[in-house]
Amino acid sequence: MAVELYRDPQHVCLMFTDLVEEDGQAVQSNQFLVIDHGVGALIDPGGNLAFHGLFASMAPHFPPPRLSYLLASHADPDIIASLDQWLTSTRAMLVISRIWERFAPHFTKVGQTQDRIIAVPDEGARLPLGRSTLWLVPAHFLHAEGNFHFYDPVSRILFTGDLGASMVSGTQASQPVRELAAHLPHMEAFHRRYMVSNKILRLWTAMARQLDVDMLVPQHGAPIQGAQAIADFYAWLDGLACGIDLMDASAYQLPRDRIDLTTRRTMPPTPAPAPSLVRSDQTTP
């Protein structure tokens, strides 16, 4: 089901939260449709798990074959593993960091991406969409090496990819968060592991504060809405140790545990057999 994030007579932003659930096998993920004056862009269209549901769910709002763009914040499977199906069923261009330009074709049949990729330079750009634009905002190393967020100046929504992600159900993801404190337990472990460093977070928040944002919408979990919640999120990021900040030599040790093929879990190493009490030169009677 589509969640309406914004609507005026000529501009619509929709979010789809329930096509891939947090079920222990695949992480919950959101997909986004932005339409301006009859021109459509799909943001982070998702993997194969989401394709058929998304195609059907967006059809009442916008004909999928008429899509102009597929925008990918980065090249993870939950972002664009369905790329081959979208390029087959539409004439849309893939918009992605130039770092991933030559990796994206691995998701498709040979030749499928020929002349269909807009490779975004590191400094970003503004992409025409109908009579408006989508801003392709640098977000490198949050968490991918070449990473972009997408700012819609009409709705004042900043689509933030993995930044701001929370581990919740699709139903919970459909409800915006307006008070950050109670939401942090759903976010903290993910950000400590997936964001590369506090330095990068602070560079990003300094840039993001220059935008007029009403809602931060991540690719996993619930949007963050309202001036206070957004300010609290920026402040939280400014003080968050993550990624390489938390690494030391203990994270880089040669492995000892073995994988048990029955449980598919790691187990302590098998104890070495006890040394024999029989002398090597002693003969058996």
Side-chain angles (χ1 to χ4, degrees):
M1 183 180 75
V3 177
E4 189 174 290
L5 300 176
Y6 177 87
R7 178 179 294 274
D8 69 31
Q10 300 298 337
H11 193 91
V12 179
C13 298
L14 301 176
M15 175 172 68
F16 303 86
T17 69
D18 58 355
L19 303 178
V20 180
E21 284 287 1
E22 177 73 25
D23 61 0
Q25 296 186 51
V27 66
Q28 184 274 340
S29 62
N30 303 321
Q31 301 80 38
F32 312 100
L33 176 65
V34 181
I35 308 164
D36 187 87
H37 288 82
V39 179
L42 196 58
I43 294 176
D44 289 346
N48 290 311
L49 292 173
F51 174 76
H52 293 291
L54 181 56
F55 196 95
S57 296
M58 67 179 286
H61 308 278
F62 189 86
R66 285 182 45 205
L67 280 171
S68 295
Y69 304 115
L70 304 167
L71 278 71
S73 56
H74 54 293
D76 277 0
D78 59 316
I79 301 290
I80 55 164
S82 62
L83 180 62
D84 187 73
Q85 297 186 77
W86 284 109
L87 292 181
T88 298
S89 57
T90 75
R91 289 194 235 174
M93 301 284 288
L94 172 65
V95 181
I96 196 168
S97 165
R98 65 182 178 188
I99 286 181
W100 302 119
E101 179 181 11
R102 294 176 61 207
F103 292 86
H106 286 278
F107 287 112
T108 72
K109 294 184 284 292
V110 174
Q112 188 75 283
T113 57
Q114 185 71 37
D115 297 323
R116 294 185 69 180
I117 296 181
I118 297 175
V120 185
D122 283 350
E123 59 268 28
R126 300 188 186 190
L127 180 72
L129 180 72
R131 299 182 189 175
S132 182
T133 59
L134 289 175
W135 295 21
L136 317 179
V137 179
H140 310 307
F141 297 101
L142 299 173
H143 65 100
E145 296 89 338
N147 199 65
F148 284 95
H149 295 163
F150 307 115
Y151 177 65
D152 175 15
V154 177
S155 65
R156 297 162 54 221
I157 293 173
L158 179 59
F159 297 94
T160 55
D162 283 309
L163 189 66
S166 54
M167 301 295 100
V168 298
S169 70
T171 300
Q172 291 170 300
S174 68
Q175 301 298 316
V177 170
R178 296 179 182 273
E179 294 184 2
L180 190 69
H183 192 58
L184 289 177
H186 300 293
M187 304 171 65
E188 187 164 1
F190 181 92
H191 284 74
R192 288 193 183 280
R193 181 57 191 249
Y194 281 85
M195 300 302 123
V196 72
S197 73
N198 181 255
K199 172 184 175 180
I200 300 300
L201 290 176
R202 287 184 285 108
L203 290 170
W204 182 87
T205 58
M207 175 191 65
R209 286 185 174 103
Q210 301 173 52
L211 294 170
D212 180 14
V213 177
D214 177 63
M215 190 183 300
L216 298 169
V217 184
Q219 193 242 343
H220 304 289
I224 299 170
Q225 186 171 24
Q228 187 59 58
I230 291 171
D232 290 346
F233 178 67
Y234 292 160
W236 178 68
L237 293 180
D238 283 341
L240 184 70
C242 60
I244 62 172
D245 305 330
L246 306 177
M247 292 293 178
D248 58 26
S250 66
Y252 296 89
Q253 301 288 327
L254 295 176
R256 292 175 51 82
D257 291 354
R258 60 184 177 86
I259 297 175
D260 182 273
L261 296 180
T262 301
T263 64
R264 288 170 283 179
R265 297 180 181 276
T266 55
M267 304 288 289
T270 303
S276 174
L277 299 179
V278 179
R279 286 172 35 196
S280 60
D281 60 348
Q282 187 174 2
T283 58
T284 303

